Amino acid sequence: MRLDKYLSSATDLSRTDVKYLIRNKHVLIDGEICKSISFHVSDDQTVELDGEVIEQPGPRYFMLHKPKGYVCATKDSEHPTVIDLLDEPNKEKLQVAGRLDIDTTGLVLITDDGQWNHAITSPKRDCKKQYHVTLISNIDEQTVADFEEGIQLRGEERKTLPATMEMLYKNEVLLTISEGKYHQVKRMFAAAGNKVSDLHRKSIGAIDLDPDLNEGEYRRLTATEAQSISEKP
Ligand code: URA
């Protein structure tokens, strides 16, 4: 997109104002002054106006490494929320796609795109979530078989969808499920007579938690990561 159009569509400034600002060295592209109003801005370039990064309006997709103690809600009277960890404008438009409990850590996706959110949370879309689960007691073979078969949780009409387990230690597994019922992982292990002592989400669909993100840190999803969710029908 042409630089003058890029700036006028992403801000309240008129095309005339924008041209003046560009010519008078207020605009940087990837850190370098750009005085050309017809400069073509590509997707991977950063545009700054008077020191502020200017982005095109459009859906936003973030991944966050959730620490313990934060709730996956937009507002909460008692606890800090995952949204509090974001330094972004218009935070009231953001929603959490697939909640984690207050004591669960790991990957949380946040967006202002409702359809994309639905593709993650709807059981019909079969979007797999992988958890690293640490348990109080060792896991037996029967539990592995029962999880693959589906577990009848109290208060639910149907059994859970098949879940797969990869054993890491006798009391630690990588569990993959494709639903997100309330406290699902904890309830599944409770139904098997065990108890979750630590829970961490590693991935949602093809999106893995970025190992460079420390707890409490976040970043935008790449276009490939965001599209990996919406590609399914
Ligand atoms: N299942 C749970 O029990 N808790 C979570 O936070 C996520 C999945």
Side-chain angles (χ1 to χ4, degrees):
M1 195 189 295
R2 261 175 69 119
L3 182 55
D4 55 345
K5 184 167 181 230
Y6 182 102
L7 284 167
S8 57
S9 67
T11 65
D12 293 335
L13 296 165
S14 69
R15 208 70 171 249
T16 313
D17 290 341
V18 158
K19 283 179 183 161
Y20 172 85
L21 291 166
I22 296 170
R23 289 202 183 104
N24 287 279
K25 305 186 192 170
H26 290 254
V27 177
L28 306 186
I29 307 281
D30 288 342
E32 304 276 329
I33 292 172
C34 178
K35 284 171 46 183
S36 163
I37 55 170
S38 60
F39 181 87
H40 184 89
V41 184
S42 53
D43 284 350
D44 57 351
Q45 285 180 311
T46 304
V47 179
E48 281 172 77
L49 173 62
D50 288 334
E52 190 190 336
V53 175
I54 306 293
E55 288 176 344
Q56 287 301 303
R60 294 177 288 171
Y61 307 98
F62 302 102
M63 73 157 75
L64 167 82
H65 187 164
K66 179 190 172 300
K68 287 188 183 184
Y70 285 77
V71 290
C72 284
T74 43
K75 282 203 182 88
D76 192 273
S77 53
E78 277 180 56
H79 303 285
T81 74
V82 289
I83 303 289
D84 295 335
L85 292 166
L86 307 185
D87 182 15
E88 295 295 326
N90 302 321
K91 289 208 284 188
E92 69 288 349
K93 299 203 172 119
L94 295 171
Q95 333 164 342
V96 183
R99 291 164 182 238
L100 291 180
D101 297 336
I102 191 164
D103 56 352
T104 303
T105 57
L107 176 63
V108 170
L109 298 176
I110 298 171
T111 185
D112 52 11
D113 179 342
Q115 282 193 340
W116 190 84
N117 187 345
H118 183 256
I120 289 173
T121 50
S122 166
K124 288 188 194 137
R125 299 295 289 268
D126 191 29
C127 178
K128 299 210 174 346
K129 289 101 187 166
Q130 190 179 57
Y131 294 87
H132 185 148
V133 192
T134 310
L135 295 137
I136 300 281
S137 309
N138 291 347
I139 299 155
D140 53 31
E141 282 177 14
Q142 189 58 48
T143 303
V144 179
D146 289 348
F147 275 32
E148 274 174 16
E149 181 71 18
I151 296 268
Q152 184 61 55
L153 297 176
R154 209 176 288 163
E156 301 287 345
E157 266 180 39
R158 283 183 220 97
K159 281 185 174 183
T160 54
L161 294 173
T164 54
M165 260 197 259
E166 186 188 321
M167 299 290 291
L168 300 175
Y169 298 102
K170 287 177 179 170
N171 69 331
E172 265 182 59
V173 282
L174 293 180
L175 175 74
T176 304
I177 59 175
S178 46
E179 300 155 290
K181 293 185 199 300
Y182 182 65
H183 293 328
Q184 178 156 345
V185 176
K186 291 174 187 165
R187 286 163 72 207
M188 286 172 78
F189 279 103
N194 208 330
K195 188 171 182 335
V196 172
S197 62
D198 207 55
L199 189 55
H200 175 85
R201 184 156 63 197
K202 288 171 64 67
S203 65
I204 296 178
I207 304 174
D208 294 329
L209 178 61
D210 187 332
D212 289 340
L213 291 178
N214 292 318
E215 285 191 8
E217 292 182 340
Y218 73 100
R219 68 159 168 82
R220 288 237 178 198
L221 292 190
T222 63
T224 311
E225 285 169 334
Q227 281 157 15
S228 73
I229 297 291
S230 49
E231 267 160 15
K232 286 185 143 195

